[in-house]
Amino acid sequence: MEKMARVTTALGSNTISGCTMFCHLDAPANAISVCRDAAQVVVAGRNIFKIYALEEEQFVEKLNLRVGRKPSLNFSCADVMWHQMDENLLATAATNGAVVTWNLGKPSRNKQDQLFTEHKRTVNKVCFHPTEVHMLLSGSQDGYMKCFDLRKKESVSTFSGQSESVRDVQFSIRDYFTFAASFENGNVQLWDIRRPDRYERMFTAHNGPVFCCDWHPEDRGWLATGGRDKMVKVWDITTNRAKEIHCVQTIASVARVKWRPERKYHLATCSMMVDHNIYVWDVRRPFIPFATFEEHKDVTTGIVWRHLHDPGFLLSGSKDSTLYQHKFKDASRPVDKANPEGLCFGLFGDLAFAAKESLISGGGDSNRKPYGSGGDRRYPIFFFKKPDLTEQFAHESSALSVFETDLESSRMDWFVETARRYLLSGKPFGELCDHNAKVAKELNRPQVSTTWTMLRIMYSDPGNLATATSISKGGSIPLMNSFNMKEIAAGGLGSESRLDRGKGEIWQDTIHLDPGNSLINNNDENEETEGSEGPADYLFGDAELEDDDLYPMEHENPTAEEAEYSLPQEAFPLRHEIVDNPSVPEHLQDKVDSPHVSGNEAEAVCLTPIKSFSLISISQPLYESHLPASFFSPVVREMLQHYAEAGDVQMAVSVLIVLGDRIRKEVDELTQEHWYTSYIDLLQRFELWNVSNEVIKLSTSSAINCLNQTSTTLHINCSNCKRPMSNKGWICDRCHQCASICAVCHHVVKGLFVWCQGCSHGGHLEHIMNWLKSSSHCPAGCGHLCEYT
C-alpha cells in the first residue's frame, strides 16, 4: 500500500504526457491491460503475448512471454489482466480452459507461475480483486465462475450461473465482497463471494447476450452493461430492484465498455463486429457520441484507460495487429459535423423545418449588455478558470417551424382516378394514347394530356395516319399529315388575316374558320368550283403554297355528315402543270395586297385564324418517309426522368408500359426497377391491388415480375372431412367430395370463395352477402352464427 501511494503521488505531481501513437504487432490482439503506474501495457492474443513500454512518442517492446520452440495452448490468450496491487503479477484466460498466472519477477525466461485447469471450456474473462492481492476470479464458456486463492493450488469456490456461458466478470470497486457477472441469455447476476450457492440479485439487462460490464469508479451503485442488442445501459443497483437510468443506442453489438476516469458520465465502447471505431459517450446525451477514435482498420478487441486518475489517454488493441495510444484531445467530435437543419413531411403533407436558432433569430439578442460594462462595483469580481472546450459538449439548438397545408390541396384523388382509368394494354398504341390523354384532360392535367398526344404523334405507324381522327375542338394536337378536305370545303376559310409562316413553331389550338367567307366561290362563272355539291378539291395557285406546307384544320359545321374524303397518293391534285417559278416572297401578305394578284388566287391563300399560328413543315413528301422511333428516344427519356424527379412515377411507369420496346432499352434497368417499385408502393398504399397486380404483370423486369409470385401458397382443408387438401383440384382425395361448394346455390365455386372460419362453410361472395342480409345463421344448416370479415 505504501508503494502504491507513492505512485499515485508521483502521478499527481507529474501528469502523464504523450501523444497519439501506434505500433505494429506480430499478430492480432484479443485483449490488453495496463500496469498500475501507467508505464507499461501487456498485449495478449492467440499468437502474441508481449509487454510494451509507453514512452513519450513510441511503444518499445520490453518482454516476450511466449517462450519455447513450441508454445502450448496456455499462451493462447482470450483475456489478460494486470494486477493493480502487484506490478509483477499477470493473469491470462486461455482458449483451452486454463487460467494462468505469470510472475514477471522470475529470473528465468519462462515467467509462468501457476496453472489452473478446472474449467471445461474456454475462459472468457479473468479479474483480480481491486484490493485483495491473492484473489482471482474467472468466468468460462461452461457457465461457471471460479474464485482462486493464488496461495493455493486450486479454486476456493465455484459459482454456477445456470446459463450457457459467462461472458464477463467484474469485482466491485467499492463493495469488497460483490462481483457482477454477465451471461449469454441476457441476464446480469450480482454475487457475494462468501455465498457461492446462490446469487444475491439477478435481472434481465439486454435482449440477447450481455458481452461486457463495468462498475463505475466513483458511484458504487452504477453498473454499465453492453450487449448484442447494440445498447449500452447504466443500472442503479442501490434500489431494491435494478433500475435503468441511462441507455445509449449504438450502431453495432457492444464488445467492451469502460468508464472514463474523472468523468462521471463518460464511458468508452467498442464493437464486436462491423464497426471499427471507438466511441466515448456522454450518457446524458445518448444519441450522438461525445468523441470518436477512427484509427483502427479492423475490429477493436480491447480498450483500457491508461491510468485510473487520468482521462486524457486511451489504449486499444485490434485485429488489424496494431496497438494505439489515443490522446483524447485528438479525437474527432461527431457533433461538429452534425447538421442542425432538418426537413420532414408529415403524413398529411405538413412540412416541419428545423434550423439554427441563430439563423432564425438573427444572431441572438442584440439588446443584451456585456458583463462588466456597468453596475455595482462594491462587490469583488471573481475570475473563474475557463473550462476546457474539449471536455464540453457543443450546445447546439434548433428552432422548429411547422407549416400546415390545406387538406383539400393535398388530396390524391387524381392519382387514384388516373390509376383506375388508365389503359396500359389491350388496344392499339394510338388508342391507348388517346384514351390516356382524355383521362388526364378530364382530371385537369393538361401537361400530361399533351404528353400522351405527342407520344401518339411521334410513335404512330405512318401507314395508318390517313385514317386517324382530325383535330378535336378541345385543342389537342392533330396528326401532322391528315385532315378532311370535305370539312374544309364545307366550313370555309376567311380572307381577312394573313399567315404567319415563322418556322419552328407549332400552333396547338383549334383553327376557327369564318363561315361567312368561303374559300370556294360558288359563282357559276368560276370553272374551278363548279359542282361544289360533291367532294371539292382544294386547289392552290402557282406560287401560293409549296408542296411541303400543311394546314391542319377543322370546320365547325355539326350538320355535315358526308363521307370522309380520302386524299390521293399525290396529296393535292394539280390544276395544271407546274412550271419553274421564282420562290415565294418572304411574306404572303405582300402578295395578297398586290393589285397584280387575281381574286381567286388571293382567296386561295387567305385564311382567317382567330389566333396567330405557324405552319407545321414536313421536309419530305407525305407518307414516303417517317422518322424512326429511335430518333425520339433521347427526348422521351428526358421526359420520363423529368416526371420521375418531379414525383410523378405514375406517368413514368405508364409511358414505359405503353411504349414497350420502343423506349425500354433507353432507360437503365435499375432506374426502371426503382420507378416500378415506387409506383407499386403508392398503389398498395391506396389499396389499388388490382392495378398494382396489372403493373407487376406488364413489367418486363424480372425483379418486379416475381413480386406477385411470393407468398401465394394457401393451405386449405376440406370443408367436409376437415382434412388438408393435398391435391390441386376441387375434389378431396380423402372423402372424394368437392370442397368448394357454395352453401347457397350448391354449385362449385370457381372464382372468389368466402368462408366462415368457425364452421368452414361458405360460397360465392355475392350469394353469402345476400344470405346474411336476412339471416345470421350458416346457410349450410349447421346452426353456426357465421361471421365474415
Side-chain angles (χ1 to χ4, degrees), residues 750-763:
K750 298 182 180 180
L752 186 62
F753 182 84
V754 59
W755 75 95
C756 174
Q757 298 184 11
C759 64
S760 301
H761 296 130

Side-chain angles (χ1 to χ4, degrees), residues 201 203 221 234-239 241-246:
R201 183 184 300 182
F203 58 93
V234 180
W235 304 88
D236 184 2
I237 61 171
T238 58
T239 58
R241 189 174 182 179
K243 180 182 178 182
E244 178 187 325
I245 56 177
H246 297 288

